[in-house]
Coordinates of all heavy atoms in Angstrom, one line a residue:
T24 N -48.8 -30.2 -34.7 CA -48.0 -30.7 -33.7 C -47.2 -31.8 -34.3 O -47.4 -32.2 -35.5 CB -48.8 -31.6 -32.5 OG1 -49.4 -32.5 -33.1 CG2 -49.7 -30.5 -32.0
S25 N -46.1 -32.4 -33.6 CA -45.3 -33.5 -34.2 C -46.0 -34.7 -34.4 O -45.8 -35.5 -35.4 CB -44.1 -33.7 -33.3 OG -44.4 -34.1 -32.1
L26 N -47.1 -35.0 -33.6 CA -47.9 -36.2 -33.7 C -48.8 -36.0 -34.9 O -49.0 -37.0 -35.7 CB -48.7 -36.4 -32.4 CG -47.9 -36.9 -31.2 CD1 -48.8 -37.1 -30.0 CD2 -47.2 -38.2 -31.5
Q27 N -49.3 -34.8 -35.2 CA -50.2 -34.7 -36.4 C -49.3 -34.8 -37.6 O -49.7 -35.4 -38.6 CB -50.7 -33.3 -36.4 CG -51.7 -32.9 -37.4 CD -52.2 -31.5 -37.4 OE1 -51.8 -30.8 -36.7 NE2 -53.2 -31.3 -38.3
A28 N -48.1 -34.3 -37.6 CA -47.2 -34.6 -38.7 C -47.0 -36.0 -39.0 O -46.7 -36.5 -40.1 CB -46.0 -33.8 -38.4
A29 N -46.7 -36.8 -37.9 CA -46.5 -38.2 -38.0 C -47.7 -38.9 -38.5 O -47.5 -39.8 -39.3 CB -46.2 -38.8 -36.7
C30 N -48.9 -38.5 -38.2 CA -50.2 -39.1 -38.9 C -50.1 -38.8 -40.3 O -50.4 -39.7 -41.2 CB -51.3 -38.4 -38.2 SG -52.9 -39.1 -38.8
A31 N -49.7 -37.6 -40.7 CA -49.7 -37.2 -42.2 C -48.7 -38.0 -42.8 O -48.9 -38.5 -44.0 CB -49.3 -35.7 -42.3
E32 N -47.6 -38.2 -42.2 CA -46.5 -39.0 -42.8 C -46.9 -40.5 -43.1 O -46.6 -41.1 -44.0 CB -45.1 -39.1 -42.1 CG -44.4 -37.5 -42.0 CD -44.2 -37.0 -43.5 OE1 -43.8 -37.8 -44.3 OE2 -44.5 -35.9 -43.7
K33 N -47.7 -41.0 -42.0 CA -48.1 -42.3 -42.2 C -49.1 -42.5 -43.5 O -49.1 -43.3 -44.1 CB -49.0 -42.8 -41.0 CG -48.0 -43.3 -39.9 CD -48.9 -43.9 -38.7 CE -47.9 -44.4 -37.6 NZ -48.6 -45.3 -36.8
C34 N -50.0 -41.6 -43.6 CA -50.8 -41.5 -44.8 C -50.0 -41.4 -46.0 O -50.3 -42.1 -47.0 CB -51.8 -40.3 -44.6 SG -53.1 -40.3 -45.9
L35 N -49.0 -40.4 -46.0 CA -48.3 -40.3 -47.3 C -47.5 -41.5 -47.6 O -47.2 -41.7 -48.9 CB -47.4 -39.0 -47.2 CG -48.1 -37.6 -47.0 CD1 -47.1 -36.5 -46.9 CD2 -48.9 -37.4 -48.4
A36 N -47.1 -42.3 -46.7 CA -46.3 -43.5 -46.9 C -47.2 -44.6 -47.4 O -46.5 -45.5 -48.0 CB -45.7 -43.9 -45.5
K37 N -48.4 -44.6 -47.3 CA -49.3 -45.7 -48.0 C -49.8 -45.3 -49.1 O -50.7 -44.3 -49.4 CB -50.4 -45.9 -46.9 CG -49.9 -46.5 -45.6 CD -51.2 -46.8 -44.7 CE -50.9 -47.8 -43.6 NZ -50.7 -49.1 -44.1
P38 N -49.6 -45.9 -50.3 CA -50.0 -45.5 -51.5 C -51.5 -45.5 -51.8 O -52.0 -44.6 -52.6 CB -49.4 -46.5 -52.5 CG -48.4 -47.1 -51.8 CD -48.6 -47.0 -50.3
D39 N -52.3 -46.2 -50.9 CA -53.7 -46.2 -51.1 C -54.4 -45.2 -50.1 O -55.7 -45.1 -50.1 CB -54.3 -47.6 -50.8 CG -54.1 -48.2 -49.5 OD1 -53.1 -47.7 -48.7 OD2 -54.7 -49.1 -49.0
C40 N -53.7 -44.5 -49.3 CA -54.2 -43.5 -48.4 C -54.5 -42.3 -49.1 O -53.7 -41.6 -49.8 CB -53.2 -43.2 -47.2 SG -54.0 -42.1 -46.0
R41 N -55.8 -41.8 -49.1 CA -56.4 -40.8 -49.7 C -56.7 -39.5 -48.8 O -56.8 -38.4 -49.3 CB -57.5 -41.0 -50.7 CG -57.2 -42.0 -51.6 CD -58.3 -42.6 -52.5 NE -58.6 -41.6 -53.5 CZ -59.6 -41.8 -54.5 NH1 -60.4 -42.9 -54.3 NH2 -59.8 -40.9 -55.4
S42 N -56.8 -39.8 -47.5 CA -57.2 -38.8 -46.5 C -56.9 -39.3 -45.2 O -56.7 -40.6 -44.9 CB -58.7 -38.4 -46.7 OG -59.5 -39.4 -46.4
F43 N -56.8 -38.3 -44.3 CA -56.8 -38.7 -42.8 C -57.5 -37.7 -42.0 O -57.6 -36.5 -42.4 CB -55.4 -38.9 -42.5 CG -54.4 -37.7 -42.3 CD1 -54.4 -37.0 -40.9 CD2 -53.8 -37.2 -43.3 CE1 -53.6 -35.9 -40.9 CE2 -53.0 -36.1 -43.2 CZ -52.9 -35.5 -42.0
D44 N -58.0 -38.2 -40.8 CA -58.5 -37.4 -39.9 C -57.8 -37.3 -38.7 O -57.3 -38.3 -38.2 CB -60.0 -38.0 -39.5 CG -61.0 -37.8 -40.7 OD1 -61.5 -36.7 -40.8 OD2 -61.1 -38.8 -41.3
W45 N -57.5 -36.2 -38.2 CA -56.7 -36.0 -36.9 C -57.6 -35.4 -35.9 O -58.2 -34.4 -36.0 CB -55.6 -34.9 -37.2 CG -54.8 -34.5 -36.0 CD1 -54.8 -33.3 -35.4 CD2 -53.8 -35.3 -35.3 NE1 -54.0 -33.3 -34.2 CE2 -53.3 -34.6 -34.2 CE3 -53.4 -36.6 -35.6 CZ2 -52.4 -35.2 -33.3 CZ3 -52.5 -37.1 -34.7 CH2 -52.1 -36.3 -33.5
G46 N -57.7 -36.1 -34.7 CA -58.4 -35.8 -33.6 C -57.8 -34.5 -32.9 O -56.7 -34.6 -32.4
A47 N -58.5 -33.3 -33.1 CA -58.0 -32.2 -32.7 C -58.7 -31.5 -31.5 O -58.1 -30.7 -30.8 CB -58.3 -31.2 -33.8
R48 N -59.7 -32.2 -30.9 CA -60.5 -31.6 -29.8 C -61.0 -32.7 -28.9 O -61.4 -33.8 -29.3 CB -61.6 -30.7 -30.4 CG -61.2 -29.4 -31.1 CD -62.2 -28.8 -31.9 NE -62.6 -29.5 -33.2 CZ -61.7 -29.4 -34.2 NH1 -60.6 -28.8 -34.1 NH2 -62.0 -30.0 -35.4
G49 N -61.2 -32.4 -27.6 CA -61.8 -33.2 -26.7 C -61.3 -34.6 -26.5 O -60.0 -34.8 -26.6
S50 N -62.0 -35.6 -26.2 CA -61.6 -37.0 -25.9 C -60.9 -37.6 -27.1 O -60.3 -38.6 -26.9 CB -62.8 -37.8 -25.4 OG -63.7 -37.9 -26.5
V51 N -61.1 -37.2 -28.3 CA -60.4 -37.7 -29.4 C -59.0 -37.2 -29.8 O -58.3 -37.6 -30.8 CB -61.2 -37.8 -30.7 CG1 -62.6 -38.4 -30.4 CG2 -61.5 -36.3 -31.2
A52 N -58.6 -36.1 -29.1 CA -57.3 -35.4 -29.3 C -56.3 -36.4 -29.5 O -56.0 -37.3 -28.6 CB -57.1 -34.4 -28.1
G53 N -55.5 -36.3 -30.6 CA -54.4 -37.1 -30.9 C -54.7 -38.3 -31.6 O -53.7 -39.0 -32.1
E54 N -55.9 -38.5 -31.9 CA -56.2 -39.8 -32.8 C -55.9 -39.5 -34.1 O -56.0 -38.4 -34.6 CB -57.8 -40.2 -32.6 CG -58.2 -40.8 -31.2 CD -59.5 -41.2 -31.3 OE1 -60.3 -41.2 -32.2 OE2 -60.1 -41.5 -30.2
C55 N -55.5 -40.7 -34.8 CA -55.2 -40.6 -36.3 C -55.9 -41.7 -37.1 O -55.8 -42.9 -36.7 CB -53.5 -40.7 -36.4 SG -53.0 -40.9 -38.1
W56 N -56.7 -41.2 -38.0 CA -57.5 -42.2 -38.7 C -57.1 -42.0 -40.3 O -57.3 -40.9 -40.8 CB -59.0 -41.9 -38.6 CG -59.5 -42.3 -37.2 CD1 -59.4 -41.5 -36.1 CD2 -60.2 -43.3 -36.9 NE1 -59.9 -42.2 -35.0 CE2 -60.5 -43.3 -35.4 CE3 -60.7 -44.5 -37.5 CZ2 -61.2 -44.2 -34.7 CZ3 -61.5 -45.5 -36.8 CH2 -61.7 -45.3 -35.5
L57 N -56.6 -43.1 -40.8 CA -56.3 -43.1 -42.3 C -57.5 -43.7 -43.1 O -58.2 -44.5 -42.5 CB -55.1 -44.0 -42.5 CG -53.8 -43.7 -41.7 CD1 -52.6 -44.6 -42.1 CD2 -53.4 -42.1 -42.0
S58 N -57.6 -43.2 -44.2 CA -58.7 -43.6 -45.1 C -58.2 -43.8 -46.5 O -57.5 -43.0 -47.1 CB -59.9 -42.5 -45.1 OG -60.9 -42.8 -46.0
T59 N -58.8 -44.8 -47.2 CA -58.6 -45.0 -48.7 C -59.6 -44.2 -49.6 O -59.6 -44.3 -50.7 CB -58.8 -46.4 -49.0 OG1 -60.1 -46.8 -48.6 CG2 -57.7 -47.2 -48.3
A60 N -60.4 -43.3 -48.9 CA -61.4 -42.5 -49.5 C -61.1 -41.0 -49.5 O -60.4 -40.7 -48.4 CB -62.8 -42.8 -49.0
N61 N -61.7 -40.2 -50.2 CA -61.6 -38.8 -50.1 C -63.0 -38.2 -50.3 O -64.0 -39.0 -50.5 CB -60.5 -38.1 -51.0 CG -60.8 -38.4 -52.5 OD1 -61.9 -38.7 -52.8 ND2 -59.8 -38.2 -53.2
R62 N -63.1 -36.9 -50.3 CA -64.5 -36.4 -50.5 C -65.2 -36.7 -51.7 O -66.3 -37.1 -51.9 CB -64.5 -34.9 -50.3 CG -64.4 -34.4 -48.9 CD -64.5 -32.8 -48.8 NE -64.4 -32.6 -47.4 CZ -64.6 -31.2 -47.1 NH1 -64.7 -30.3 -47.9 NH2 -64.4 -31.0 -45.7
A63 N -64.3 -36.7 -52.7 CA -64.8 -37.0 -54.2 C -65.3 -38.4 -54.3 O -66.4 -38.8 -54.8 CB -63.7 -36.8 -55.2
S64 N -64.5 -39.4 -53.8 CA -64.9 -40.7 -53.9 C -66.0 -41.1 -52.9 O -66.8 -42.1 -53.2 CB -63.8 -41.6 -53.6 OG -63.2 -41.6 -52.3
A65 N -66.2 -40.5 -51.6 CA -67.1 -40.7 -50.8 C -68.5 -40.3 -51.2 O -69.5 -40.7 -50.8 CB -66.7 -40.1 -49.4
G66 N -68.5 -39.1 -52.0 CA -69.8 -38.6 -52.5 C -70.8 -38.3 -51.4 O -70.3 -37.6 -50.4
D67 N -72.0 -38.6 -51.5 CA -72.9 -38.5 -50.6 C -72.6 -39.1 -49.2 O -73.4 -38.6 -48.2 CB -74.3 -38.9 -51.0 CG -74.8 -37.9 -52.2 OD1 -74.3 -36.8 -52.4 OD2 -75.8 -38.5 -53.0
A68 N -71.9 -40.0 -49.1 CA -71.6 -40.7 -47.9 C -70.5 -39.9 -47.0 O -70.5 -40.2 -45.8 CB -71.0 -42.1 -48.1
Y69 N -70.1 -38.8 -47.5 CA -69.2 -37.9 -46.8 C -69.9 -37.2 -45.6 O -71.1 -36.7 -45.7 CB -68.6 -36.8 -47.6 CG -67.8 -35.7 -46.8 CD1 -66.5 -35.9 -46.5 CD2 -68.4 -34.6 -46.4 CE1 -65.8 -35.1 -45.8 CE2 -67.8 -33.6 -45.7 CZ -66.4 -33.8 -45.3 OH -65.7 -33.1 -44.6
T70 N -69.3 -37.3 -44.4 CA -69.8 -36.6 -43.2 C -68.6 -36.1 -42.4 O -67.7 -36.7 -42.3 CB -70.7 -37.5 -42.4 OG1 -69.8 -38.6 -41.9 CG2 -71.9 -38.0 -42.9
A71 N -68.8 -34.8 -41.9 CA -67.7 -34.1 -41.1 C -67.8 -34.7 -39.6 O -68.8 -34.9 -39.1 CB -67.9 -32.7 -41.1
W72 N -66.7 -35.0 -39.1 CA -66.6 -35.4 -37.7 C -66.1 -34.1 -37.0 O -65.0 -33.6 -37.1 CB -65.5 -36.4 -37.6 CG -65.9 -37.7 -38.2 CD1 -67.1 -38.0 -38.7 CD2 -65.0 -38.9 -38.2 NE1 -67.1 -39.4 -39.1 CE2 -65.8 -40.0 -38.8 CE3 -63.7 -39.2 -38.0 CZ2 -65.2 -41.2 -39.1 CZ3 -63.3 -40.4 -38.1 CH2 -64.0 -41.4 -38.7
G73 N -67.0 -33.5 -36.1 CA -66.8 -32.3 -35.5 C -65.5 -32.1 -34.6 O -64.9 -31.1 -34.5
S74 N -64.9 -33.3 -34.1 CA -63.8 -33.1 -33.2 C -62.5 -33.5 -34.0 O -61.5 -33.5 -33.4 CB -63.9 -34.2 -32.1 OG -65.0 -33.9 -31.2
Y75 N -62.6 -33.6 -35.3 CA -61.5 -34.0 -36.1 C -61.2 -32.9 -37.1 O -62.1 -32.3 -37.7 CB -61.6 -35.4 -36.8 CG -61.7 -36.4 -35.8 CD1 -62.9 -37.0 -35.2 CD2 -60.6 -37.2 -35.6 CE1 -62.9 -37.9 -34.4 CE2 -60.7 -38.4 -34.9 CZ -61.9 -38.8 -34.2 OH -62.0 -39.8 -33.4
D76 N -59.9 -32.8 -37.5 CA -59.5 -32.0 -38.6 C -59.3 -32.9 -39.8 O -58.6 -34.0 -39.6 CB -58.2 -31.2 -38.3 CG -58.5 -30.2 -37.3 OD1 -59.7 -29.7 -37.2 OD2 -57.5 -29.6 -36.8
Y77 N -59.8 -32.6 -40.9 CA -59.7 -33.6 -42.1 C -58.6 -33.0 -43.1 O -58.5 -31.8 -43.4 CB -61.0 -33.6 -42.8 CG -61.2 -34.3 -44.2 CD1 -61.1 -35.7 -44.1 CD2 -61.2 -33.5 -45.4 CE1 -61.2 -36.4 -45.3 CE2 -61.2 -34.3 -46.4 CZ -61.3 -35.7 -46.5 OH -61.3 -36.5 -47.6
Y78 N -57.9 -33.9 -43.6 CA -56.8 -33.6 -44.6 C -56.9 -34.6 -45.8 O -57.2 -35.8 -45.6 CB -55.5 -33.7 -43.9 CG -55.2 -32.8 -42.9 CD1 -55.6 -33.0 -41.6 CD2 -54.6 -31.5 -43.1 CE1 -55.4 -32.1 -40.6 CE2 -54.3 -30.7 -42.2 CZ -54.7 -30.8 -40.9 OH -54.6 -30.0 -40.0
E79 N -56.7 -34.1 -47.1 CA -56.7 -35.0 -48.2 C -55.3 -35.1 -48.7 O -54.6 -34.1 -48.7 CB -57.6 -34.6 -49.2 CG -59.1 -34.9 -49.0 CD -59.9 -34.5 -50.1 OE1 -59.6 -34.0 -51.2 OE2 -61.2 -34.9 -49.9
V80 N -54.9 -36.2 -49.4 CA -53.8 -36.1 -50.1 C -53.9 -35.5 -51.5 O -55.0 -35.8 -52.1 CB -53.3 -37.7 -50.3 CG1 -52.2 -37.8 -51.3 CG2 -53.0 -38.3 -49.0
D81 N -53.1 -34.7 -51.7 CA -53.1 -33.9 -53.1 C -52.2 -34.6 -54.1 O -51.0 -34.4 -54.1 CB -52.7 -32.5 -52.8 CG -52.8 -31.6 -54.2 OD1 -53.1 -32.3 -55.4 OD2 -52.7 -30.4 -54.2
A82 N -52.8 -35.4 -54.9 CA -52.0 -36.3 -55.9 C -51.5 -35.4 -57.0 O -50.6 -35.7 -57.6 CB -52.9 -37.3 -56.5
S83 N -52.0 -34.1 -57.2 CA -51.4 -33.3 -58.2 C -50.3 -32.5 -57.8 O -49.6 -31.8 -58.5 CB -52.5 -32.3 -58.8 OG -53.0 -31.5 -57.7
A84 N -50.0 -32.5 -56.5 CA -48.8 -31.8 -55.9 C -47.4 -32.3 -56.4 O -47.3 -33.5 -56.6 CB -48.8 -31.6 -54.4
G85 N -46.5 -31.5 -56.6 CA -45.2 -31.9 -57.1 C -44.2 -32.5 -56.1 O -43.5 -33.4 -56.5
A86 N -44.1 -31.9 -54.9 CA -43.0 -32.2 -54.0 C -42.7 -33.7 -53.7 O -42.0 -34.3 -54.3 CB -43.0 -31.3 -52.8
A87 N -43.4 -34.2 -52.8 CA -43.1 -35.5 -52.1 C -43.6 -36.6 -53.0 O -44.6 -37.2 -52.7 CB -43.7 -35.5 -50.8
G88 N -42.9 -36.8 -54.1 CA -43.5 -37.9 -55.0 C -44.8 -37.7 -55.5 O -45.5 -38.6 -55.7
G89 N -45.4 -36.5 -55.6 CA -46.6 -36.1 -56.2 C -47.7 -36.2 -55.1 O -48.9 -36.2 -55.5
R90 N -47.4 -36.3 -53.8 CA -48.3 -36.4 -52.7 C -48.0 -35.4 -51.6 O -46.9 -35.4 -51.2 CB -48.4 -37.8 -52.3 CG -49.0 -38.9 -53.2 CD -48.7 -40.3 -52.7 NE -49.2 -40.6 -51.5 CZ -50.4 -41.0 -51.2 NH1 -51.3 -41.3 -52.1 NH2 -50.7 -41.3 -49.9
E91 N -49.1 -34.7 -51.2 CA -48.9 -33.9 -50.0 C -50.3 -33.7 -49.5 O -51.4 -34.1 -50.0 CB -48.3 -32.4 -50.4 CG -49.2 -31.5 -51.1 CD -48.7 -30.2 -51.3 OE1 -47.4 -30.1 -51.5 OE2 -49.5 -29.3 -51.4
R92 N -50.2 -33.2 -48.0 CA -51.6 -33.3 -47.4 C -52.2 -31.9 -47.6 O -51.4 -30.9 -47.5 CB -51.4 -33.5 -45.9 CG -50.4 -32.6 -45.2 CD -50.1 -33.2 -43.8 NE -49.0 -32.5 -43.3 CZ -49.1 -31.5 -42.3 NH1 -50.2 -31.2 -41.9 NH2 -48.1 -30.9 -41.9
T93 N -53.4 -31.8 -47.8 CA -54.1 -30.5 -47.9 C -55.4 -30.6 -47.0 O -56.2 -31.6 -47.0 CB -54.6 -30.2 -49.3 OG1 -55.4 -31.3 -49.8 CG2 -53.3 -30.0 -50.3
P94 N -55.5 -29.5 -46.0 CA -56.8 -29.5 -45.3 C -58.1 -29.5 -46.1 O -58.0 -28.8 -47.2 CB -56.6 -28.2 -44.5 CG -55.2 -27.7 -44.7 CD -54.8 -28.3 -45.9
S95 N -58.9 -30.0 -45.9 CA -60.2 -29.9 -46.6 C -61.4 -30.2 -45.6 O -61.0 -29.9 -44.4 CB -60.4 -31.0 -47.6 OG -59.6 -31.4 -48.6
H96 N -64.8 -36.3 -45.4 CA -64.6 -37.3 -44.5 C -65.1 -38.6 -45.2 O -65.9 -38.5 -45.9 CB -65.3 -36.9 -43.3 CG -65.1 -37.6 -42.1 ND1 -64.9 -39.0 -42.1 CD2 -64.8 -37.2 -41.0 CE1 -64.4 -39.2 -41.0 NE2 -64.5 -38.1 -40.2
A97 N -64.7 -39.4 -44.9 CA -64.9 -40.6 -45.5 C -64.8 -41.7 -44.6 O -64.4 -41.6 -43.4 CB -63.9 -40.7 -46.7
T98 N -64.9 -43.0 -45.0 CA -64.8 -44.1 -44.2 C -63.4 -44.2 -43.8 O -62.5 -44.3 -44.8 CB -65.3 -45.4 -44.8 OG1 -66.7 -45.3 -45.1 CG2 -65.1 -46.6 -43.9
A99 N -62.9 -44.4 -42.5 CA -61.5 -44.3 -42.1 C -61.3 -45.5 -41.1 O -62.3 -46.1 -40.4 CB -61.2 -43.1 -41.3
V100 N -60.1 -45.9 -41.1 CA -59.7 -46.9 -40.1 C -58.6 -46.4 -39.2 O -57.7 -45.6 -39.8 CB -59.2 -48.4 -40.9 CG1 -60.4 -48.9 -41.6 CG2 -58.0 -47.9 -41.8
P101 N -58.5 -46.8 -37.9 CA -57.4 -46.3 -37.2 C -56.1 -46.7 -37.6 O -55.9 -48.0 -38.0 CB -57.8 -46.9 -35.7 CG -58.6 -48.1 -36.1 CD -59.4 -47.8 -37.3
C102 N -55.1 -45.9 -37.5 CA -53.8 -46.2 -37.9 C -53.0 -46.7 -36.7 O -51.8 -47.1 -36.9 CB -53.0 -45.1 -38.6 SG -52.7 -43.7 -37.5
G103 N -53.5 -46.8 -35.6 CA -53.0 -47.2 -34.3 C -52.1 -46.1 -33.7 O -52.1 -44.9 -34.2
P104 N -51.6 -46.3 -32.5 CA -51.0 -45.3 -31.7 C -49.6 -44.8 -32.4 O -48.9 -45.5 -33.2 CB -50.5 -46.0 -30.4 CG -50.5 -47.6 -30.7 CD -51.5 -47.7 -31.8
L105 N -49.3 -43.5 -32.2 CA -48.1 -42.9 -32.9 C -46.9 -43.0 -32.0 O -46.9 -43.0 -30.9 CB -48.4 -41.6 -33.4 CG -49.4 -41.4 -34.3 CD1 -49.9 -39.9 -34.7 CD2 -49.1 -42.0 -35.6

């Protein structure tokens, strides 16, 4: 959706954003949570949130300044309403 794309753009615009969770189901639909962690840095603390779709920033990608979102959880903070 366009709101999901806006969430991704918010993450890509923040140099320290490494992942985001998009509320995809139920009462959390449309929520956007940005995180400075990804699966690798979270290690054993990683847990999946069943109502959210998880995306990581791919720093090895070439297009948008070396950052793009890839579907793939970590401690996250809300990015506010879109």
Side-chain angles (χ1 to χ4, degrees):
T24 70
S25 61
L26 290 178
Q27 184 180 12
C30 182
E32 292 304 319
K33 281 189 174 197
C34 183
L35 293 175
K37 292 183 159 289
D39 63 341
C40 184
R41 298 174 84 183
S42 66
F43 72 92
D44 292 278
W45 174 251
R48 291 165 283 288
S50 63
V51 301
E54 288 185 6
C55 175
W56 292 78
L57 304 183
S58 178
T59 58
N61 60 20
R62 283 186 179 184
S64 67
D67 291 340
Y69 170 85
T70 56
W72 292 353
S74 296
Y75 294 82
D76 290 341
Y77 174 77
Y78 296 86
E79 283 189 356
V80 172
D81 182 355
S83 67
R90 292 168 54 91
E91 71 178 31
R92 60 191 169 101
T93 55
S95 309
H96 194 317
T98 303
V100 295
C102 67
L105 296 177

